[in-house]
Amino acid sequence: MISLARALPLLLAPAALSNTVADYRFAPEEGSEVTIEFRQVFQVELVDMTLSFNGEEIDISEMGVPEFQLLDEEELSFRDTFVTVGDDRPAVVHRAFDELTKMSTQSGSSPDGEEHSTEDPGESELEGTTVVFTWDADEEEYVPTFLEEDGDED
């Protein structure tokens, strides 16, 4: 006798196979808008250290281990407006870059207590601009241009 746990996948298999990848498609309505928000945090901390010279490990117990931390934070927020929709894909998309920020902070101290800290803010010239992506059927790619004239094409 087949147990229910072993038979369940066999019972559900026809339903899983009835939908193929071709059954799913991305088809937004003209004028619809989607907001994408992304936040990434990357943190590194030195917890232990070894030192070797010419393949020989050096005893650093008297020197002490320095402290070191690295923190990178990124936040991205942009809106896509589907201005014109073609048969297979959006034909014209306006992407408004609302927030593009990055902050990199490095801090630490030496074993003798000397502390240091640096901050490096990242900036993007795209923040506050809108880029228009227009589908080029001949080249089979989107061509980006700025909605306003003040954007840097590079």
Side-chain angles (χ1 to χ4, degrees):
M1 183 168 153
I2 297 177
S3 71
L4 181 60
R6 289 179 50 198
L8 190 57
L10 295 173
L11 294 172
L12 297 176
L17 296 175
S18 66
N19 290 335
T20 64
V21 174
D23 293 336
Y24 299 100
R25 65 187 185 97
F26 178 67
E29 294 182 19
E30 285 190 5
S32 63
E33 183 176 283
V34 63
T35 299
I36 294 96
E37 294 179 349
F38 175 79
R39 183 166 192 260
Q40 175 176 294
V41 177
F42 176 75
Q43 186 172 1
V44 177
E45 182 175 351
L46 177 65
V47 294
D48 195 14
M49 183 175 84
T50 60
L51 185 63
S52 63
F53 183 73
N54 287 336
E56 301 274 332
E57 190 167 322
I58 298 172
D59 180 18
I60 60 169
S61 59
E62 292 180 18
M63 293 178 8
V65 176
E67 291 182 12
F68 176 79
Q69 294 88 29
L70 170 67
L71 177 63
D72 279 342
E73 295 179 274
E74 273 185 299
E75 292 194 36
L76 312 173
S77 176
F78 54 90
R79 289 174 289 120
D80 285 349
T81 304
F82 304 102
V83 178
T84 307
V85 178
D87 293 332
D88 297 335
R89 66 184 47 82
V92 178
V93 178
H94 289 187
R95 177 166 286 175
F97 293 96
D98 298 323
E99 181 180 13
L100 302 170
T101 59
K102 180 178 180 179
M103 176 60 79
S104 180
T105 306
Q106 296 180 19
S107 61
S109 64
S110 63
D112 62 1
E114 183 180 336
E115 294 186 8
H116 69 279
S117 181
T118 60
E119 287 187 345
D120 182 19
E123 297 177 1
S124 174
E125 293 178 11
L126 286 174
E127 188 170 344
T129 66
T130 300
V131 176
V132 178
F133 293 93
T134 306
W135 180 251
D136 183 338
D138 295 334
E139 296 293 324
E140 294 188 351
E141 65 183 19
Y142 284 96
V143 177
T145 56
F146 283 98
L147 186 62
E148 296 88 21
E149 295 293 324
D150 53 42
D152 180 4
E153 292 296 324
D154 290 337

